């Protein structure tokens, strides 16, 4: 695996290739990231990953400065997963001047759920992803479905800007107990780690209720929030939404259940897809 730190080096390395496949990350890699790298390999003629902790998507009170940087481990994991080229720019390289041009996603999609609780988050995500896509110019880019709303925002951005890039969705990788793998799981204490699976279990309980015929979505969401809060969580949302646009569903819509809640000092997110005819799919 070759490692480059500048855009010029990146472009020189990519010059012989026509169809890069790309996996952007913020580092602190786990098996979920590596599954995306392995999924990317058959999508192109060279597999590229990036590591960049993007200041633009962190709120002032969030964990930008303390976000784990695990460079040596990340490099070993990427190489073992078959990554060919790692692009690891510093802030000066990616933002050599103040980033005053920003990508503003539509409020109807980006200011709800995650965007409501993390104002400006998707502006930061879209801006850095657009810039990384411009640097790598991939044929395909792989994003995990654990960040469900983010995947949807990026897909629409790529479509509306007519970028010649296929956005490929990677299924969520889970621990044996069902907890979605996340870089922030490392913040959990041993007791919190044992408790953390309750977020995915709450989504499954909501799915079971819907399959049993529950129709009062507001009451179902409120009950799920209260159940987590009673266990010591601080839930931001547990929501039933239409999969096509994350709006309030109508009868017959394919659904996705989304949750975000804080356990101790760690904020976790998860989701579960449903379809009208099949009920709950595997957690994604």
């Amino acid at each position: 695996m070759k490692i480059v730190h500048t855009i010029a080096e990146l472009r020189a390395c990519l010059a012989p290739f026509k169809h890069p496949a790309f996996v952007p990350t913020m580092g602190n890699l786990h098996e979920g990231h590596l599954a995306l790298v392995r999924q990317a390999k058959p999508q192109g003629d060279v597999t590229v990953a990036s590591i960049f902790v993007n200041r633009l998507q962190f709120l002032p009170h969030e964990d930008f400065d303390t976000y784990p940087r695990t460079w040596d481990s990340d490099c070993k994991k990427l190489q073992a997963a078959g990554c060919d080229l790692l692009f690891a720019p510093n802030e000066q390289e990616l933002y050599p001047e103040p980033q005053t041009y920003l990508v503003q996603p539509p409020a109807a999609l980006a200011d709800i759920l995650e965007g409501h609780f993390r104002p400006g988050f998707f502006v930061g995500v879209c801006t850095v992803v657009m810039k990384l896509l411009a640097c790598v110019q991939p044929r395909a880019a792989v994003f995990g479905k654990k960040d469900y709303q983010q995947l949807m925002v990026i897909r629409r951005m790529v479509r509306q800007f007519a970028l010649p890039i296929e956005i490929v969705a990677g299924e969520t990788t889970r621990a044996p107990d069902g907890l979605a793998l996340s870089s922030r799981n490392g913040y959990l204490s041993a007791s919190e780690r044992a408790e953390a699976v309750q977020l995915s279990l709450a989504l499954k309980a909501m799915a079971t209720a819907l399959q049993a015929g529950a129709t009062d979505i507001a009451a179902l969401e409120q009950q799920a929030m209260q159940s987590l809060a009673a266990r010591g969580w601080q839930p931001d949302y547990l929501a039933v939404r239409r999969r096509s646009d994350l709006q309030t569903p109508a009868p017959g819509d394919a659904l996705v259940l989304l949750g975000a809640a804080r356990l101790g000092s760690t904020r976790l997110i998860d989701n579960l897809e449903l379809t009208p005819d099949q009920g709950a799919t595997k957690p994604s």
Side-chain angles (χ1 to χ4, degrees), residues 131-162:
K131 197 156 195 177
L132 289 168
L133 293 177
C135 293
V136 178
Q137 298 183 38
R139 188 203 72 82
V142 184
F143 291 83
K145 289 174 75 173
K146 186 181 79 70
D147 297 289
Y148 200 92
Q149 187 177 4
Q150 173 179 280
L151 172 64
M152 184 172 288
V153 168
I154 290 169
R155 272 186 164 158
R156 292 197 175 190
M157 178 185 77
V158 166
R159 184 176 73 237
Q160 289 202 7
F161 281 105

Side-chain angles (χ1 to χ4, degrees), residues 105-113 149 156 241 245-247:
L109 179 60
D111 289 355
I112 60 174
L113 302 170
Q149 187 177 4
R156 292 197 175 190
R241 295 299 173 97
D245 57 8
L246 300 186
Q247 300 303 306

Side-chain angles (χ1 to χ4, degrees), residues 247-267:
Q247 300 303 306
T248 302
D253 286 339
L255 305 177
V256 59
L257 315 183
L258 306 108
R262 192 174 300 276
L263 181 59
S265 61
T266 306
R267 188 174 183 272

Side-chain angles (χ1 to χ4, degrees), residues 58-87:
F58 287 79
L59 298 181
H61 67 277
E62 292 185 333
D63 57 343
F64 174 81
D65 291 326
T66 59
Y67 191 86
R69 275 77 164 175
T70 53
W71 172 255
D72 290 340
S73 173
D74 290 347
C75 290
K76 292 176 183 176
K77 290 176 180 178
L78 285 172
Q79 185 165 7
C83 181
D84 300 309
L85 180 62
L86 171 58
F87 178 45

